Amino acid sequence: LVRVPTENVKQKMQAGMYTKTGEAISGILKAQGPGGFYVGYLTTVMREIPFSFIQFPIYEGLKKKWSEMQGQQVNAIQSSLCGSFAGGFSAAVTTPLDVVKTRLMLGKDAHGVAYNGALDTVSRIYAEGGAGRFFLGVGPRTMWISIGGCVFFGAYEGSKSVLAKMFEG
């Protein structure tokens, strides 16, 4: 409920449609009403569910394999590397869903023609240059989410370890 409106504001600012957050918020409200903040909600969910279904099993599987190979549980730094790989891989394979979500949130193509739902968006992206168009931005997306996965999973496992020691007795 918070992520999609934030994504809408961010996407429109990154596309140069607005230069200030307040301007973006009032512009979206004026142009589309409160529902404008939730444009792309379904495609965001359609991206997040596969992303999580890919990321978490890879993360847990890598931790398990690494632990077995070294004969002890992975530490927070090793967990962060597992999280980085899992996040990066998941980001790369879900980039097509992210591209569709982003286009829907922006609302119009580079020529100012409005998108009319997810299927229209998919067919128009494909018409622009085939399947490769769905992977535009895969490098930066993969890098950013790899860094995020490293930080998130490292902090999570480190915090979990500290809290476990605090409450041991």
Side-chain angles (χ1 to χ4, degrees):
L1 293 173
V2 174
R3 187 173 188 159
V4 175
T6 304
E7 272 290 301
N8 267 299
V9 170
K10 179 191 78 161
Q11 295 290 342
K12 287 174 174 50
M13 290 180 71
Q14 287 177 340
M17 297 168 76
Y18 302 102
T19 57
K20 296 180 179 162
T21 305
E23 179 186 331
I25 291 169
S26 57
I28 292 168
L29 275 172
K30 184 178 179 186
Q32 299 169 292
F37 291 105
Y38 292 94
V39 170
Y41 177 80
L42 277 179
T43 51
T44 301
V45 170
M46 289 171 49
R47 177 197 68 185
E48 290 300 317
I49 290 173
F51 180 91
S52 295
F53 274 125
I54 296 165
Q55 180 185 35
F56 286 101
I58 290 173
Y59 171 67
E60 291 297 335
L62 289 171
K63 282 193 336 176
K64 182 179 179 188
K65 274 286 188 213
W66 199 336
S67 295
E68 289 170 0
M69 286 173 45
Q70 68 184 10
Q72 64 184 24
Q73 292 295 313
V74 292
N75 62 35
I77 293 171
Q78 293 166 328
S79 291
S80 71
L81 295 174
C82 294
S84 178
F85 180 83
F89 180 81
S90 302
V93 299
T94 59
T95 294
L97 299 171
D98 190 58
V99 169
V100 173
K101 182 251 344 154
T102 300
R103 297 281 187 103
L104 280 169
M105 285 183 169
L106 292 175
K108 298 175 186 172
D109 64 17
H111 306 289
V113 179
Y115 291 108
N116 187 20
L119 292 177
D120 174 57
T121 306
V122 167
S123 66
R124 287 171 53 192
I125 292 169
Y126 187 81
E128 289 175 13
R133 297 295 287 182
F134 290 96
F135 288 92
L136 290 174
V138 68
R141 175 173 160 76
T142 300
M143 181 184 69
W144 178 248
I145 293 177
S146 292
I147 293 167
C150 181
V151 171
F152 172 80
F153 285 109
Y156 169 74
E157 294 292 345
S159 299
K160 195 168 86 170
S161 171
V162 167
L163 290 172
K165 288 176 186 170
M166 281 176 49
F167 293 107
E168 273 180 354

